[in-house]
Amino acid sequence: GLKVVLGMVVFANIVFNSTDNQSIKALFATGINLNLIAASVALIWSTLFSDMNALVAPQDVPSIILGQLAVVIAGSVQDKAKAGHTLLAACWMSTLLTGLFLWLLGRLHASDMLRKIPSPVIGGFIAATGATGIRSSLSTLTGAPFYILWPTDFTAFHDW
C-alpha cells in the first residue's frame, strides 16, 4: 500500500514537474489524485477478477513517456496557459487508446504473435526506456538540457 502511494507521487512528479510551464506544474496535485484513483481501480479490479496470485502495481514507463510528452507540449502549445489541460487530454487519450489496443490484443488472441518477438528487441526497448529515464532524471536534477546522456548547456552547472 505505502509503496504504491509513494510510487504514484513519484510518477506524478515525473509527469508534471518535468517542465518549467506553470500551467503543467499547477496540476501536480491533480496528477497525484488521478494516479491514486487509477492505482486503486487497478488493484481492486485485479483483486476481484484475477485468479493470479500476484500484486498488480502501476508501471513507471508510461510516466517517463508522459513526462517527455509534457516537455514537448510545453514547448509547442501556443497558449502556455492551456498546456496543462492539453497534457491531461493527452494522458486520457493515451489511456483510452492503450486500453482499446490491449483489449483488441486479447480479443484477437494475439499473444502467440507477441511471443515471437526476439528477446534482443525487447531488451533494446527496455534499455532505451532506461536511458530515457536516466536522461530525464539528470535533466531534472541538474536543470540542464541533455542530448542522449550528454548535457547541451553547461551554464546550469555554474550555479552549483
Side-chain angles (χ1 to χ4, degrees):
L2 181 62
K3 179 184 174 199
V4 172
V5 170
L6 292 176
M8 296 304 95
V9 173
V10 170
F11 295 166
N13 186 36
I14 291 170
V15 174
F16 293 98
N17 288 332
S18 59
T19 180
D20 292 333
N21 186 296
Q22 294 303 317
S23 171
I24 293 175
K25 285 187 171 189
L27 293 173
F28 176 60
T30 303
I32 293 172
N33 289 335
L34 290 173
N35 279 342
L36 289 172
I37 290 168
S40 299
V41 168
L43 289 170
I44 291 169
W45 188 270
S46 67
T47 301
L48 294 177
F49 299 110
S50 177
D51 57 351
M52 293 176 45
N53 292 329
L55 175 65
V56 174
Q59 301 296 308
D60 56 349
V61 174
S63 64
I64 294 170
I65 294 170
L66 289 172
Q68 294 299 313
L69 181 64
V71 173
V72 171
I73 287 174
S76 62
V77 169
Q78 291 178 353
D79 186 4
K80 300 299 182 191
K82 295 182 179 178
H85 296 291
T86 304
L87 178 62
L88 283 179
C91 290
W92 282 107
M93 289 301 297
S94 69
T95 301
L96 292 174
L97 290 175
T98 301
L100 177 67
F101 179 72
L102 292 174
W103 179 80
L104 281 172
L105 284 178
R107 190 80 175 142
L108 299 173
H109 302 286
S111 62
D112 293 332
M113 181 181 66
L114 293 176
R115 287 184 193 153
K116 295 178 182 174
I117 298 175
S119 294
V121 173
I122 301 297
F125 176 76
I126 293 172
T129 304
T132 303
I134 291 171
R135 182 187 67 181
S136 176
S137 299
L138 290 174
S139 180
T140 301
L141 287 171
T142 62
F146 277 74
Y147 175 73
I148 305 178
L149 293 177
W150 188 254
T152 58
D153 183 16
F154 286 97
T155 58
F157 294 106
H158 294 293
D159 295 335
W160 287 17

